[in-house]
Amino acid sequence: MVNPFGEGAVPVSFEVYPPRTPDKAPSLYETIRALAAVHPRFISVTFGAGGSSRRSSLEVLTHILHNTHVQPMAHLTCVGTTHAEAADLVREFLDAGITSFLALRGDPPTDEAHIDDFIGDVKTAAELVQLIQHVQSERAPWTDYPVMGSTARRIDPTPAPVNVAVAAFPNGHPESGATRADIDSLLAKQAAGANLAITQLFFHSDDYFRFVDKARTAGVTMPILPGIMPITSHQRLTRVVELTGEKEPSELSINLQIEPTAEGRAAVGVDYATKLVNELVAGGAPGIHLYAFNRHDTVLDVLHAARLVP
Ligand code: FAD
């Protein structure tokens, strides 16, 4: 995709989630319009493990595909699915015109009694990467074209290549005993055909650069895109730390707690994320991926402050 900011501009991308209720869709579509206006490389849409958001995720992805110039990236999870179910899911998204995926294992429910039933037979993200490539290679590359007021099908001689991204964990996945397991897992995903890694959020640029160094030494060659979440309330910081297992950044935590106004806390979150983005860009990160939380104001403030968009 041509970057309208010219050669050398740092690519940006965003993550959104499907609306939790239908009445939230219009505001999400307004957010997507505002995010698309800064020409991101892609906008990714999360997927509820177990398929809970299958329909709503696909709706948001096709909205992006048909209403913006931006590439939609579908998160897909494999936990709890059989091989045939996962292949059906991939086929459905490919048929809808989606060609970019973030292949994830997802998390089984915490209800211990059902964990064994829930694991399914596609057990790791690496297996899902392989499955996506396999489904695409087996799919007849048909395209519809209009003929005499109707449509006919023909073989597309140049079917769109499928891009498959995967997750990476600079500070280790909560289930991995040592960071080394994460690097091995990233290598397995690359061997399966992944061509981009997107990191879990982190709060210190050193964590990212140390991880990238280790990954390169081990043979990971795909770009590793840092994932950044501007956090504008202490409540959200606590929740995010709980969910990701990241260590709470004390400076951000204290500043969010002592700031009395919502406006002031927004500024604290934007400043922290901007400093992180500046350090990452200066250190050579291949782009910046922002967790938008279905709001455009905060992430766009960060990109403006970091001078990554005009
Ligand atoms: P995997 O890579 O399969 O494995 C996770 C970890 O397990 C590895 O890092 C490694 O430590 C260990 N491991 C795996 N295979 C092996 C092996 N063979 N040997 C030893 N150790 C191994 N979840 C959702 O439900 N929906 C989403 O939309 C979503 N989006 C996400 C987006 C990003 C950018 C990130 C970073 C995470 C996202 N998640 C999402 C969360 C993700 O599903 C969980 O973190 C899940 O626990 C792991 O998924 P994975 O794809 O990293 O799994």
Side-chain angles (χ1 to χ4, degrees):
M1 190 184 297
V2 175
N3 188 330
F5 302 125
E7 285 300 306
V10 177
V12 299
S13 52
F14 302 104
E15 176 188 294
V16 297
Y17 53 83
R20 303 219 196 280
T21 51
D23 60 305
K24 300 250 178 4
S27 82
L28 173 60
Y29 292 160
E30 181 51 30
T31 289
I32 287 170
R33 194 197 56 73
L35 297 177
V38 301
H39 304 282
R41 281 288 161 94
F42 61 86
I43 297 177
S44 77
V45 181
T46 65
F47 187 85
S52 56
S53 72
R54 180 177 183 148
R55 233 177 81 213
S56 53
S57 293
L58 190 53
E59 270 168 24
V60 177
L61 289 157
T62 49
H63 175 89
I64 296 169
L65 184 67
H66 298 304
N67 296 281
T68 75
H69 57 277
V70 179
Q71 178 161 170
M73 177 185 281
H75 295 209
L76 291 184
T77 64
C78 57
V79 71
T81 58
T82 63
H83 204 270
E85 285 166 349
D88 266 2
L89 175 69
V90 172
R91 216 169 282 119
E92 182 185 354
F93 278 54
L94 286 167
D95 286 348
I98 306 303
T99 54
S100 249
F101 296 92
L102 174 55
L104 300 146
R105 185 197 67 187
D107 289 312
T110 43
D111 176 357
E112 294 283 334
H114 297 111
I115 279 189
D116 287 343
D117 296 340
F118 204 79
I119 292 295
D121 53 26
V122 188
K123 291 184 173 51
T124 64
E127 289 170 59
L128 181 58
V129 173
Q130 223 164 19
L131 183 74
I132 293 171
Q133 303 286 4
H134 183 72
V135 171
Q136 168 69 349
S137 69
E138 276 199 341
R139 229 169 130 256
W142 298 108
T143 48
D144 291 331
Y145 68 102
V147 56
M148 290 190 287
S150 175
T151 55
R153 309 198 93 190
R154 69 169 167 224
I155 294 260
D156 181 353
T158 51
V162 169
N163 292 310
V164 188
V166 290
F169 298 84
N171 289 318
H173 184 275
E175 287 165 38
S176 96
T179 305
R180 184 70 207 169
D182 292 300
I183 304 270
D184 284 347
S185 154
L186 200 52
L187 273 170
K189 297 181 205 187
Q190 178 174 276
N195 54 14
L196 175 71
I198 305 178
T199 76
Q200 178 61 283
L201 64 88
F202 55 88
F203 296 104
H204 304 285
S205 57
D206 286 355
D207 295 342
Y208 168 80
F209 289 119
R210 213 175 297 121
F211 178 75
V212 171
D213 276 353
K214 276 193 197 160
R216 296 286 175 250
T217 305
V220 175
T221 53
M222 64 184 153
I224 301 175
L225 201 52
I228 304 299
M229 183 186 288
I231 297 184
T232 57
S233 81
H234 187 255
Q235 227 177 345
R236 174 154 294 164
L237 179 62
T238 307
R239 179 89 185 112
V240 158
V241 162
E242 228 174 70
L243 285 174
T244 59
E246 289 293 307
K247 256 219 286 283
E248 184 170 273
S250 49
E251 182 197 335
L252 177 62
S253 172
I254 291 166
N255 289 342
L256 286 172
Q257 286 180 79
I258 59 173
E259 180 51 54
T261 67
E263 209 179 32
R265 288 189 290 275
V268 165
V270 167
D271 285 353
Y272 193 93
T274 304
K275 183 170 167 277
L276 194 49
V277 166
N278 284 336
E279 289 169 8
L280 290 164
V281 170
I288 298 294
H289 183 67
L290 287 157
Y291 296 102
F293 252 106
N294 287 16
R295 292 185 55 158
H296 52 274
D297 48 358
T298 313
V299 287
L300 294 182
D301 284 351
V302 171
L303 293 179
H304 284 125
R307 296 172 196 268
L308 294 188
V309 297

